Amino acid sequence: MKFFEDFAAGERVEIGRHTFGADDIKAFARRFDPQPFHLDEAAAARSHFGALCASGWHTAAMWMRLMVDYQRGEDEARRARGEAVATLGPSPGFKDMKWPRAVYAGDTVSYSTEVLATRASNSRPEWGLLTLRNSGVNQKGEPVISFISTAFVERRKAAP
Amino acid sequence: MKFFEDFAAGERVEIGRHTFGADDIKAFARRFDPQPFHLDEAAAARSHFGALCASGWHTAAMWMRLMVDYQRGEDEARRARGEAVATLGPSPGFKDMKWPRAVYAGDTVSYSTEVLATRASNSRPEWGLLTLRNSGVNQKGEPVISFISTAFVERRKAAP
């Protein structure tokens, strides 16, 4: 990925999209969220959701997957241009996860990430800290997921 | 589950435990978080984590699984006693996800949930809102995950 110094508040990127098929939704739910409205069309029709829909944790985990793929593609492009690639550090966590609307079988979610703030780390001078707003909208443009994450990103080496 | 009126701030339950095996960690990572330190022992040894460890999203998703299993067991016991079972409503989301320490291959995480607050819903009189602190500790008792969730829970029908 880019180095910390190359990020600026306000920049926003589309990281990718994923269509949540019924089999995909059920496979995740069997392993991690076996509630009837994530497992079975008929049970879901009788639930408050009204139709088969993805676990919120599935929608969130797919963000992670697309973010990793996006960064990998960016890194390959950087290396092909002979540029240095920065290391992404551990995530201290995130906040304000919201699932404002269900993701139904067949929905396509487009994910994006916006830089809200950049801050040097006092305790870890080799890292900077990014605050990101991560969002997903369905094919109608309706928000289905949003959360704020923080991430450590490598800084450029100071000139000697 | 219990009805909203039967929850009280301060109550805490152990919902279950899970041992994160290396194959389990890698299978999740291949699908949702294909970073080297979640996929390969040798690459993980060279990373800032020092050894193969689980995606934070895997640790979070396993909380959901254990919570569903726990509630299912509680509901079966209630039905066996001839008691009514309340419906769990949609989750508006959660906040303050923290992964204070990595979950390494072979670690066993014990998850618990504590009721922080209970509040009637003005807009939805048939539901009450719970605020929960969900936590996981490893086999040494060290915190590895915590987050605050909110959940709608069915209220008892008002006496006619």
Side-chain angles (χ1 to χ4, degrees), chain B residues 67-130:
Chain B
M67 180 55 103
V68 171
D69 288 351
Y70 173 81
Q71 292 298 349
R72 186 162 295 168
E74 289 284 294
D75 288 356
E76 284 167 7
R78 260 172 249 287
R79 288 194 187 93
R81 294 194 299 266
E83 294 172 18
V85 168
T87 297
L88 177 65
S91 168
F94 60 87
K95 60 182 184 174
D96 298 339
M97 174 67 78
K98 293 190 173 75
W99 293 300
R101 196 172 273 98
V103 173
Y104 291 100
D107 279 359
T108 297
V109 178
S110 300
Y111 294 88
S112 64
T113 290
E114 180 187 353
V115 179
L116 294 184
T118 67
R119 184 166 67 76
S121 172
N122 293 326
S123 58
R124 306 184 186 191
E126 71 279 23
W127 298 103
L129 199 61
L130 300 181

Side-chain angles (χ1 to χ4, degrees), chain A:
Chain A
M1 65 190 306
K2 296 195 288 193
F3 285 87
F4 172 71
E5 288 81 356
D6 301 327
F7 284 93
E11 66 179 81
R12 181 175 171 281
V13 292
E14 302 286 336
I15 63 165
R17 59 184 60 194
H18 179 74
T19 299
F20 288 78
D23 290 346
D24 185 24
I25 287 173
K26 293 175 193 176
F28 185 95
R30 272 194 296 273
R31 183 84 187 94
F32 295 111
D33 195 351
Q35 300 187 80
F37 35 77
H38 300 320
L39 287 171
D40 181 80
E41 281 83 354
R46 294 189 300 270
S47 75
H48 48 269
F49 290 113
L52 187 74
C53 58
S55 168
W57 299 98
H58 189 178
T59 324
M62 195 47 71
W63 169 82
M64 186 74 228
R65 171 58 187 266
L66 292 173
M67 180 55 101
V68 171
D69 289 351
Y70 173 79
Q71 291 299 351
R72 185 160 298 167
E74 288 285 296
D75 287 357
E76 284 167 8
R78 257 171 253 287
R79 288 195 188 93
R81 293 195 298 266
E83 293 173 18
V85 168
T87 297
L88 178 65
S91 168
F94 59 87
K95 59 184 185 174
D96 299 339
M97 175 67 78
K98 294 191 172 72
W99 293 300
R101 195 171 274 100
V103 173
Y104 291 102
D107 279 359
T108 297
V109 179
S110 300
Y111 294 88
S112 63
T113 290
E114 180 185 353
V115 179
L116 295 183
T118 65
R119 183 165 67 76
S121 171
N122 292 326
S123 58
R124 305 183 188 194
E126 70 278 24
W127 298 102
L129 198 62
L130 300 181
T131 305
L132 306 169
R133 181 194 286 127
N134 309 290
S135 312
V137 299
N138 65 20
Q139 66 280 5
K140 298 177 202 162
E142 299 165 331
V144 295
I145 185 171
S146 72
F147 63 103
I148 309 291
S149 62
T150 47
F152 284 103
V153 179
E154 190 181 2
R155 302 187 67 168
R156 288 186 191 285
K157 302 286 179 288

Side-chain angles (χ1 to χ4, degrees), chain B residues 2-116:
Chain B
K2 298 195 288 193
F3 286 88
F4 171 71
E5 289 81 355
D6 301 327
F7 284 93
E11 66 180 84
R12 181 174 170 282
V13 293
E14 302 284 337
I15 63 163
R17 62 183 60 195
H18 179 74
T19 299
F20 288 78
D23 289 347
D24 186 24
I25 287 172
K26 293 175 193 176
F28 185 95
R30 273 192 295 272
R31 183 86 187 91
F32 295 112
D33 195 351
Q35 300 187 78
F37 36 77
H38 301 318
L39 286 171
D40 181 79
E41 282 83 354
R46 292 190 299 270
S47 76
H48 48 270
F49 289 113
L52 188 74
C53 58
S55 169
W57 299 97
H58 188 180
T59 325
M62 194 48 70
W63 168 83
M64 186 75 226
R65 172 56 187 269
L66 291 173
M67 180 55 103
V68 171
D69 288 351
Y70 173 81
Q71 292 298 349
R72 186 162 295 168
E74 289 284 294
D75 288 356
E76 284 167 7
R78 260 172 249 287
R79 288 194 187 93
R81 294 194 299 266
E83 294 172 18
V85 168
T87 297
L88 177 65
S91 168
F94 60 87
K95 60 182 184 174
D96 298 339
M97 174 67 78
K98 293 190 173 75
W99 293 300
R101 196 172 273 98
V103 173
Y104 291 100
D107 279 359
T108 297
V109 178
S110 300
Y111 294 88
S112 64
T113 290
E114 180 187 353
V115 179
L116 294 184

